[in-house]
Amino acid sequence: MANNIEIKKTVFNTTDFNRVINTSFETFTQPIPEEDTDTSEELFRLYEKLYYVIDVQGEKNSHQYLVKKSSELLTFDKVTEDIQPLLDEIAQLREQLLSANQQIIDLETNV
């Protein structure tokens, strides 16, 4: 009851092997290109979402850091044309207040 199983082995030399077997790497589907999600729109979407979670002050990861970093790109005068008239008015009102206080002191000391 012994059945003999015959095994045949086919051996190829290098030239025949390369002719018969495809050794190049190929995929079955086209690779899906990865989409870069690092966009300015995504940055501002996350900023709006995390606005109240971000620390106000700190060397890194804070609103203070964002303002400092953004200020490196912007050049703006600390005293702009809009602010200077207000500063002038404040100075004038301080002089008037000082003058009024001096008049009060003068009137009180002459009594």
Side-chain angles (χ1 to χ4, degrees), residues 4-97:
N4 287 338
I5 300 176
E6 189 175 320
I7 300 176
K8 291 185 180 181
K9 179 179 178 184
T10 304
V11 178
F12 295 102
N13 63 22
T14 305
T15 306
D16 290 338
F17 179 82
N18 289 333
R19 186 174 47 79
V20 173
I21 305 296
N22 183 0
T23 58
S24 65
F25 181 76
E26 296 178 7
T27 60
F28 294 111
T29 61
Q30 292 296 325
I32 300 171
E34 285 189 33
E35 182 181 339
D36 187 11
T37 58
D38 295 340
T39 62
S40 59
E41 289 82 13
E42 180 65 7
L43 169 69
F44 288 109
R45 185 191 70 77
L46 287 172
Y47 182 74
E48 290 297 323
K49 179 179 179 182
L50 301 173
Y51 183 80
Y52 292 108
V53 177
I54 299 172
D55 290 334
V56 174
Q57 294 185 348
E59 290 296 317
K60 291 280 185 177
N61 301 330
S62 67
H63 288 285
Q64 179 184 15
Y65 172 78
L66 291 172
V67 169
K68 182 179 177 184
K69 195 69 174 171
S70 294
S71 295
E72 292 174 3
L73 296 175
L74 298 173
T75 54
F76 60 93
D77 297 329
K78 293 190 186 257
V79 179
T80 62
E81 294 175 3
D82 296 338
I83 297 175
Q84 188 59 48
L86 298 173
L87 293 174
D88 293 341
E89 184 178 354
I90 290 171
Q92 181 184 7
L93 291 172
R94 284 183 177 168
E95 288 177 9
Q96 289 175 359
L97 181 61

Side-chain angles (χ1 to χ4, degrees), residues 89-107:
E89 184 178 354
I90 290 171
Q92 181 184 7
L93 291 172
R94 284 183 177 168
E95 288 177 9
Q96 289 175 359
L97 181 61
L98 182 63
S99 175
N101 284 337
Q102 185 64 44
Q103 287 177 0
I104 291 171
I105 291 173
D106 290 343
L107 290 173

